[in-house]
Amino acid sequence: MPVLGFDLGGTKLAAAVFSTDGRIICEETLPIGKKTGKDVGRMIADQTTKFLRQQKLTGVEITSIGIAVPGISFKKNETVWAPNIKGWEEYPLKKEIQAIADHIPVKIESDRTCYILGESWVGNARGCSDAVYIAVGTGIGAGILVNGTILSGAHDIAGAIGWMAMQKPYKKRYDDCGCFESSASGAGITKMAISNLRNTKNYTGILSKKPLENLTAQDVFNAYDENDPIAKKIIKHCIMFWGMAVANLVSILNPQKIILGGGVFGPAVKFIPQIHKEAAKWAQPISMQKVSLEATALGKLAGLYGAGLLALQNSNQLNSGHE
Amino acid sequence: MPVLGFDLGGTKLAAAVFSTDGRIICEETLPIGKKTGKDVGRMIADQTTKFLRQQKLTGVEITSIGIAVPGISFKKNETVWAPNIKGWEEYPLKKEIQAIADHIPVKIESDRTCYILGESWVGNARGCSDAVYIAVGTGIGAGILVNGTILSGAHDIAGAIGWMAMQKPYKKRYDDCGCFESSASGAGITKMAISNLRNTKNYTGILSKKPLENLTAQDVFNAYDENDPIAKKIIKHCIMFWGMAVANLVSILNPQKIILGGGVFGPAVKFIPQIHKEAAKWAQPISMQKVSLEATALGKLAGLYGAGLLALQNSNQLNSGHE
């Protein structure tokens, strides 16, 4: 029986009705625009209403709803925290959508958790009981599957791998988002580039062609392709950090697969063999031998598919069908 | 109904019959001596036979058997790997003990997994669904509970945290046992001391009173208490590494508790407040706020109690009674 999945991003809300076997029956994506707080909640509520009404016309009955949010879903008090949506510190999204959905179950998870669910359903982690999705975008987080189920932690904050400690001693610049994220996320790459540009005298390379305030991680990747020395230094450092992070997740969790995704993978996909080589230096050797390191198969759709599987698992249709 | 637990260590085999609520009904510990390979297996087999015979005399019926081994228990092929027992590369311990136990179920787990099981049963992790036991002895490993169950990984090698990458770039000396373990385990502390003693000219401190080849981690802790500069430097470095490791497990797993145990905790228990302070610099701030960092409550008995709970969980007596 079909399910409805939502993926709420920073700029848009994607929705899709999925068949039990992971096909998209229909979908719609709307821009969020400048909406904040309750208006973002209303947008999801309105789309829920619309999809539920549609089922009467199409005869496609929705049996469960899953929502991926760009932040944390706290199960105990049924609220959501999303740093980039103003007013979503303790937002009661579950209650709002459940009121509309009535008897249809609603489940909400963090985007990073939905990424690995998506990959495990129809992507590169199919058939895996133990797998990790490392999402490297503006920030860094991980979705983790163990024993075939989501690793949420005691307070739903598991997978905060941006805070991984990988270079002592502690530096002030780790304060806001952690050691790993401050260097190797999209925002980290940009910051490192700006800091390097400021400290490199007489540099006239490709990165100096653009005002510093407009510099992006993509510019750094482009400069790397042009053999720019600053870009090469930064990306080399990132590859080492990405490799160490992969190694740590392999040694601690012994997964079958590690999937690399998010906006940075993207352009960094071509470095996966080098990241693998770096990880292999550090990780528990047998676990490393057995793990497969792969790029996301679903790209920007990983969260939406994950919301679909979340809904499906919560509808108890799968039972022993999907692990 | 009572269960039988075994804890096989490097020098002795401990066995105990436990009541369902975690009391020891009877116990016996035997030295392993110079036994290797099959003779160690036979020792466990003989003890099993003895305890099963005893139950006829005492009327205490054993309903399940759990065994903690100093290595890895591979579930798929039912073999055990234990680096310090000669001939135990792929040792068929399960088959041997099951043959004697007949219809009584036998389950085998790594010692590190049993440590956290023991603490969760009658120690400092009681009532926790998500908890980690960091065992720092000659080596370093972790037993991990998530969602109330053991985290084994895809190939039963999860928790190999001695391989955690925490100091780039990679150094040759990490080859044998990993970055974290090479510096901050009992053996690592000794190695660091020897290397420092060799490289420090005109040192006449307390650590020079003993031949280098007899130096132990305990000597370094003793020297620390005497304000020895080499010992202070090494322990300071260890505290930073232990703190970073705690931080990484907190950020990745979001546990309720992290328990520090093994031979080194022991003498390093007094540094737990400093380790907490170091971890708090690095870790995801909310997860860090919510976690409790504690010393083992069970000391050398953690593995034996863990083997007891392993047996109990495997006998299906607990069902929903213990999570």
Side-chain angles (χ1 to χ4, degrees), chain A residues 147 150 153-160 163 165-168 170 237 240 248 251-254 281-282 284 290, chain B residues 147 150 153-160 163-168 170 237 240 248 251-254 281-282 284:
Chain A
N147 302 333
I150 296 167
H155 315 95
D156 302 307
I157 331 174
W163 296 89
M166 299 195 301
Q167 183 63 28
K168 73 179 177 65
Y170 188 82
H237 179 257
M240 196 183 280
N248 289 352
S251 298
I252 297 169
L253 302 170
N254 177 217
K281 288 185 203 166
W282 299 90
Q284 204 286 344
K290 292 189 179 273
Chain B
N147 303 332
I150 296 166
H155 316 94
D156 302 306
I157 330 174
W163 296 89
M164 235 192 283
M166 299 195 300
Q167 183 62 29
K168 72 181 178 63
Y170 188 82
H237 179 257
M240 195 183 280
N248 289 352
S251 299
I252 297 170
L253 302 170
N254 176 216
K281 290 186 203 166
W282 299 89
Q284 205 286 343

Side-chain angles (χ1 to χ4, degrees), chain A residues 74 112 129-130 144 146-147 149-161 163-171 174-175 178-179 237 240-241 244-245 247-256 278 281-287 290-291, chain B residues 74 112 129-130 144 146-147 149-161 163-171 174-175 178-179 237 240-241 244-245 247-256 278 281-287 290-291:
Chain A
F74 294 106
R112 62 194 190 215
S129 61
D130 297 77
I144 303 173
V146 292
N147 302 333
T149 61
I150 296 167
L151 194 160
S152 298
H155 315 95
D156 302 307
I157 331 174
I161 64 162
W163 296 89
M164 235 192 282
M166 299 195 301
Q167 183 63 28
K168 73 179 177 65
Y170 188 82
K171 293 196 188 90
Y174 304 159
D175 273 6
C179 169
H237 179 257
M240 196 183 280
F241 259 21
M244 290 168 76
N248 289 352
L249 293 165
V250 166
S251 298
I252 297 169
L253 302 170
N254 177 217
Q256 286 133 328
E278 182 68 31
K281 288 185 203 166
W282 299 90
Q284 204 286 344
I286 304 171
S287 285
K290 292 189 179 273
V291 76
Chain B
F74 295 105
R112 62 193 190 216
S129 60
D130 296 76
I144 304 173
V146 293
N147 303 332
T149 60
I150 296 166
L151 194 162
S152 298
H155 316 94
D156 302 306
I157 330 174
I161 64 164
W163 296 89
M164 235 192 283
M166 299 195 300
Q167 183 62 29
K168 72 181 178 63
Y170 188 82
K171 293 196 187 88
Y174 304 159
D175 273 6
C179 170
H237 179 257
M240 195 183 280
F241 259 21
M244 291 168 76
N248 289 352
L249 293 166
V250 166
S251 299
I252 297 170
L253 302 170
N254 176 216
Q256 287 133 326
E278 181 68 31
K281 290 186 203 166
W282 299 89
Q284 205 286 343
I286 305 172
S287 285
K290 291 187 180 273
V291 77

Side-chain angles (χ1 to χ4, degrees), chain A residues 268-280:
Chain A
V269 161
K270 65 180 169 192
F271 301 116
I272 290 180
Q274 284 166 263
I275 295 167
H276 188 282
K277 202 174 158 193
E278 182 68 31

Side-chain angles (χ1 to χ4, degrees), chain A residues 81-110:
Chain A
W81 170 83
N84 297 324
I85 302 174
K86 214 179 146 186
W88 276 38
E89 281 77 34
E90 288 185 61
Y91 193 77
L93 184 64
K94 172 79 192 288
K95 202 177 280 180
E96 285 188 6
I97 306 305
Q98 192 66 69
I100 293 162
D102 193 19
H103 66 285
I104 301 170
V106 175
K107 191 150 187 202
I108 304 173
E109 271 294 353
S110 66

Side-chain angles (χ1 to χ4, degrees), chain A residues 251 284, chain B residues 111-112 115 133-143 157-164 166 177-189 238 241-242 245 249 260-265:
Chain A
S251 298
Q284 204 286 344
Chain B
D111 45 6
R112 62 193 190 216
Y115 299 151
Y133 186 108
I134 302 182
V136 185
T138 310
I140 295 182
I157 330 174
I161 64 164
W163 296 89
M164 235 192 283
M166 299 195 300
C177 60
C179 170
F180 180 32
E181 181 168 315
S182 77
S183 307
S185 64
I189 290 170
C238 281
F241 259 21
W242 292 328
L249 293 166
L260 290 162
V264 169
F265 290 88

